[in-house]
Structures are given as structure tokens and as C-alpha cells.
Amino acid sequence: MASSSYSNSPCAACKFLRRKCLPDCIFAPYFLPEEPQKFANVHKIFGASNVSKLLNEIPSHQREDAVNSLAYEAEARMRDPVYGCVGAISVLQRQVIQLQKELDATNADLIRYSCSPPMPGTSSSEVNQMAQRQGSLHWGRSMHGGGSSFNQNSSFPSYPYNSSWDDSGEGN
């Protein structure tokens, strides 16, 4: 079951703590040798003794989820010592609210364009092209200077910490 039984390499926890990794090591299945920073962060925030006690107290089928939660919270605390995961959640909630407002505005524009009579001397295809151009202009404004801090290139578990913490709904 322990990672150290499959190879001669000690788990990341035992390596970090400079101790021998025994076959029944509580850390070995969850802190693989290839991920030393995962344990380093967890140890710095929670302490090895506390993590060991926690893992011994919870059922074995829940340990992996617990370790993943601890690792995520530890990484978040390293990035933002005051708010941790709560700060990330807050930033993401504000982004959802801002994007919902943009979606509502775009839907209102679509309804307005679809319900308005065509201008005299224009065909329906010209009206559709104008509506598409207007929609892309709105999208470009909102994504490039309209206040949204949405980053399409972000990846889990990174989150946009460059946003301000006020409730104005504006980024940076």
C-alpha cells in the first residue's frame, strides 16, 4: 500500500523530515516522492504532527480527499496568508457576478435587435450582420478594458489574485 514498498525512494514527507520511510508510513500513499512541494506546503501551514494525527483519525477511504484538501488550502495560504481559499472563492464569485451581468446585457441587446423593425432600405441579412458586429464589439469591450478580470488562460488551482478586494466589481 505504501509508496515506499514499490520503490526504494522514500515518500516526500519522510524525505522532507529526513527520516526513514517505513512500509506502514501514513504519508507514503498521499505524498509521493515526485511531489515534494506538496508536503512542504502542507507541513509549513499545518505541521507534520497535526497532519499525521488527522490522517490516523479519519477513515482510510477519506484520506486522499483530506490530503488533497489540505494541499489545496496550504497552497492558497502560501499565496494569500490572510484569506487562503476564501479569498480565491470570493474573487471567483465576483467574476461570476460580473460575467452574469455581461451575459444579461448581451441577451438584452439580442432581444432588442431581434424585436426592432429593420431600418428602411436594409435587408434582413444586413440587419443580422450589423447585430453580429455590434455583439462582437460589445464582447471586445467587455473583455478588453470593460472592467472584467476574467482570464481564459488560468488553470486550476491557480486563481487571479491580482484583483482588488473591494466590492466595486472592477478588476485590478
Side-chain angles (χ1 to χ4, degrees), residues 100-122:
Q100 186 64 50
K101 288 177 183 177
E102 290 177 18
L103 180 61
D104 292 344
T106 302
N107 284 335
D109 287 345
L110 286 172
I111 291 170
R112 188 173 51 240
Y113 292 135
S114 66
C115 293
S116 65
M119 294 183 291
T122 58

Side-chain angles (χ1 to χ4, degrees), residues 5-86:
S5 65
Y6 297 126
S7 66
N8 293 334
S9 180
C11 70
C14 291
K15 189 178 236 181
F16 184 87
L17 299 171
R18 296 182 180 175
R19 66 182 195 189
K20 183 176 179 165
C21 191
L22 301 174
D24 62 340
C25 175
I26 190 77
F27 298 118
Y30 314 107
F31 297 102
L32 303 177
E34 301 84 33
E35 302 173 315
Q37 195 60 44
K38 180 179 177 181
F39 180 76
N41 290 345
V42 169
H43 173 64
K44 185 171 184 175
I45 301 299
F46 300 106
S49 178
N50 290 331
V51 174
S52 175
K53 289 176 191 174
L54 176 81
L55 291 176
N56 283 320
E57 290 178 9
I58 61 175
S60 58
H61 70 276
Q62 293 179 337
R63 289 179 184 164
E64 185 174 358
D65 290 335
V67 167
N68 289 336
S69 294
L70 289 171
Y72 188 82
E73 177 65 27
E75 185 178 333
R77 289 281 170 186
M78 298 292 283
R79 291 175 183 229
D80 185 349
V82 175
Y83 293 105
C85 287
V86 175

